[in-house]
């Protein structure tokens, strides 16, 4: 089931609104339509099951069918990453965040080519 992230402010007891980049992914990438089931996750660590009820040009209305409180992660992840040149460090931070890393600790080693500004 496709999963989307929404702000808690876009949720009510019985419905949710998906807009912005998440809506673009829902509508134009996954090509979901009315009646398709989706999973929503908010920034307060709750997960919702729902069905797409209406689509407009900029948002989707989701009817919430179930709600579940998620337990906090048992093992927070720490990534120790050697400094990288150019934009590579930005990409590593972005992908690590997407994978659920809680803390990133950059360090310089004997093999580090990039240098921090003094």
């Amino acid at each position: 089931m496709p999963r989307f992230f929404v702000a808690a402010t876009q949720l009510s007891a019985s419905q949710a609104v998906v807009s912005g980049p998440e809506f673009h992914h829902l509508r134009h990438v996954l090509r979901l339509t009315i009646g398709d089931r989706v999973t929503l996750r908010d920034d307060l660590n709750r997960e919702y099951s729902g069905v797409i009820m209406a689509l407009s040009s900029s948002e989707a209305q989701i009817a919430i069918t179930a709600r579940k409180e998620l337990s906090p992660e048992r093992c927070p992840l720490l990534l120790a990453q050697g400094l990288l040149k150019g934009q590579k460090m930005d990409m590593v931070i972005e992908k690590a965040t997407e994978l659920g890393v809680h803390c990133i600790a950059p360090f310089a080693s004997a093999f580090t080519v990039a240098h921090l500004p003094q």
Side-chain angles (χ1 to χ4, degrees), residues 83-90 113-114:
L83 293 173
L84 300 172
K85 293 191 307 183
Q87 301 297 317
K88 294 177 187 174
M89 192 68 174
D90 293 341
V113 175

Side-chain angles (χ1 to χ4, degrees), residues 9-71:
T9 58
Q10 294 178 298
L11 292 159
S12 69
S14 62
Q15 99 176 29
V17 176
V18 176
S19 59
E22 293 290 326
F23 171 73
H24 173 78
H25 188 71
L26 179 147
R27 185 71 171 141
H28 300 290
V29 177
L30 297 177
R31 298 181 181 163
L32 298 178
T33 59
I34 294 172
D36 288 338
R37 299 188 60 75
V38 296
T39 301
L40 304 174
R41 189 165 181 179
D42 69 6
D43 47 359
L44 299 175
N45 212 26
R46 292 182 292 218
E47 190 171 270
Y48 303 85
S49 297
V51 178
I52 299 173
M53 297 306 292
L55 294 168
S56 70
S57 61
S58 62
E59 64 183 28
Q61 300 288 329
I62 312 292
I64 305 243
T65 57
R67 176 183 166 198
K68 178 171 54 169
E69 293 283 335
L70 300 175
S71 61

Side-chain angles (χ1 to χ4, degrees), residues 77-81 89 92-94 96-97 101-106:
L77 298 175
L78 166 71
L79 172 65
Q81 173 65 51
M89 192 68 174
V92 168
I93 291 171
E94 177 184 337
T97 303
V101 172
H102 290 84
C103 183
I104 300 171

